[in-house]
């Protein structure tokens, strides 16, 4: 699996509500290197979801352009998978876990034997090998989100977009899922854009953190996370450098909200 390099040029999105225009993002420029894990943070309502949906091809930007490996894209960039926050709504409750995962593969013309193999491999990667025949509603929230991640992986994405994927689970599950994403990223070398409003999560996971300003969203700051590559929920979060980085980002967000 080769990773994608994504570049965003002068991206803008204005919503027209009928009574007023909301400039959600404007003149947004940044690059995500192939194989990088970039976290995006910013004050609530600053345009993070708008950005992610625009990259995913789910929203049409008002202006600007996206390039994957230097090629302009219109619509969903090739090799892109998305994981949303609402796992409950992203899986079909009447379909078994394996069928939920296989569905996208079938839609992409992948044959049945290969589909089975990919489903097995993806479930294995997220530690859910024995749930293939279960229904999503029989699983906990954290497990359902693992299924959503498995579905993205089965597609073998070159670019994985994650929109506050762990905002709806409890703290322990969240920590486990963060470690899962970090391990998968290191094992698979996929490019990840991870949106979160949780600064600690951004510092814990990211190689780089992009801080967005509020309405319209622009890049306020880019911060390289120079923590050791080996991350650990207790040791990393207690590292004085972690605390420094978190404080620095918090300061930028506070200032950008003014
Ligand atoms: P975030 O994900 O950072 O919380 P959003 O991208 O959801 O921010 O929203 C950015 C801004 O755009 C907000 O002011 C929000 O109210 C506005 N917005 C989002 N979606 C729409 C829409 N469909 N119509 C009008 N305004 C919208």
């Amino acid at each position: 699996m080769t990773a994608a390099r994504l570049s965003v040029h002068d991206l803008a999105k204005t919503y027209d509500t009928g009574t007023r225009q909301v400039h959600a993002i404007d003149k947004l420029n940044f690059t995500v290197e192939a194989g990088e894990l970039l976290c995006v943070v910013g004050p609530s309502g600053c345009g993070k979801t708008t950005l992610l949906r625009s990259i995913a091809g789910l929203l049409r930007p008002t202006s600007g352009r996206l390039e994957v490996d230097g090629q302009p894209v219109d619509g969903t960039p090739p090799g892109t998978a998305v994981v949303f926050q609402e796992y409950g709504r992203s899986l079909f409750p009447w379909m078994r876990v394996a069928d939920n995962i296989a569905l996208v593969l079938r839609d992409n013309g992948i044959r049945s034997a290969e589909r089975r193999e990919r489903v097995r491999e993806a479930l294995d990667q997220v530690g859910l090998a024995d749930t293939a025949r279960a229904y999503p509603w029989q699983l906990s929230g954290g497990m359902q989100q693992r299924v959503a991640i498995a579905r993205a992986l089965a597609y073998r994405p070159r670019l994985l977009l994650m929109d506050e994927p762990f905002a709806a689970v409890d703290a322990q599950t969240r920590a486990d899922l963060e470690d899962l994403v970090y391990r998968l990223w290191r094992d698979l070398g996929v490019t990840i854009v991870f949106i979160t409003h949780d600064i600690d999560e951004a510092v814990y996971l990211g190689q780089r953190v992009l801080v967005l300003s509020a309405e319209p969203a622009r890049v306020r700051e880019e911060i390289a996370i120079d923590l050791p590559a080996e991350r650990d929920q207790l040791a990393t979060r207690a590292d004085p450098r972690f605390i420094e980085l978190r404080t620095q980002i918090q300061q930028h967000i506070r200032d950008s909200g003014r």
Side-chain angles (χ1 to χ4, degrees):
M1 185 158 57
T2 55
R5 178 181 192 273
L6 170 75
S7 53
V8 175
H9 304 271
D10 283 335
L11 199 74
K13 174 71 188 173
T14 299
Y15 294 105
D16 196 343
T17 65
T19 49
R20 71 180 192 114
Q21 294 204 320
V22 181
H23 300 289
I25 53 182
D26 190 27
K27 295 195 184 71
L28 200 58
N29 287 285
F30 66 93
T31 299
V32 194
E33 296 303 331
E36 188 180 12
L37 199 173
L38 175 81
C39 289
V40 180
V41 294
S44 179
C46 80
K48 299 185 292 299
T49 296
T50 301
L51 167 65
L52 191 114
R53 287 178 179 269
S54 304
I55 298 174
L58 301 170
L59 259 185
R60 204 172 178 80
T62 309
S63 61
R65 65 183 206 284
L66 298 165
E67 286 179 3
V68 167
D69 298 328
Q71 297 299 313
V73 285
D74 183 15
T76 305
T80 302
V82 192
V83 176
F84 296 103
Q85 180 186 328
E86 304 98 2
Y87 50 81
R89 278 194 277 158
S90 75
L91 301 172
F92 293 117
W94 63 88
M95 282 178 127
R96 293 180 195 276
V97 161
D99 297 330
N100 261 290
I101 298 172
L103 190 65
V104 246
L105 303 179
R106 201 178 59 195
D107 291 349
N108 279 279
I110 293 162
R111 288 172 191 281
S112 147
E114 162 104 22
R115 285 205 299 268
R116 271 199 300 279
E117 175 54 24
R118 287 203 191 189
V119 169
R120 194 197 55 72
E121 187 186 280
L123 281 174
D124 217 29
Q125 283 170 328
V126 301
L128 286 182
D130 52 359
T131 64
R133 295 191 52 76
Y135 289 97
W137 47 266
Q138 294 175 310
L139 308 176
S140 68
M143 288 164 90
Q144 289 180 39
Q145 194 54 302
R146 279 175 194 259
V147 174
I149 294 170
R151 185 173 56 183
L153 295 179
Y155 177 62
R156 302 206 175 136
R158 303 173 60 231
L159 174 63
L160 182 57
L161 304 174
M162 306 187 86
D163 189 8
E164 305 222 11
F166 311 142
V169 297
D170 64 84
Q172 182 55 50
T173 304
R174 184 173 192 144
D176 292 344
L177 288 168
E178 287 167 359
D179 288 337
L180 172 72
V181 166
Y182 195 72
R183 177 175 58 75
L184 289 169
W185 169 69
R186 291 188 80 189
D187 288 353
L188 303 175
V190 59
T191 307
I192 301 183
V193 178
F194 190 104
I195 300 235
T196 176
H197 66 266
D198 184 324
I199 299 166
D200 286 42
E201 184 168 75
V203 176
Y204 184 71
L205 284 179
Q207 277 187 305
R208 193 158 55 103
V209 175
L210 212 65
V211 183
L212 299 185
S213 60
E215 242 187 272
R218 288 201 185 138
V219 176
R220 178 172 178 98
E221 202 62 54
E222 287 186 40
I223 292 162
I225 304 300
D226 49 2
L227 291 167
E230 216 57 62
R231 306 272 160 102
D232 173 87
Q233 290 286 353
L234 297 179
T236 304
R237 288 172 192 268
D239 186 326
R241 182 65 187 145
F242 179 94
I243 295 161
E244 241 171 61
L245 287 162
R246 183 233 277 159
T247 309
Q248 199 181 333
I249 293 171
Q250 230 156 10
Q251 185 81 45
H252 285 305
I253 292 184
R254 202 178 58 187
D255 294 350
S256 75
R258 281 184 183 147

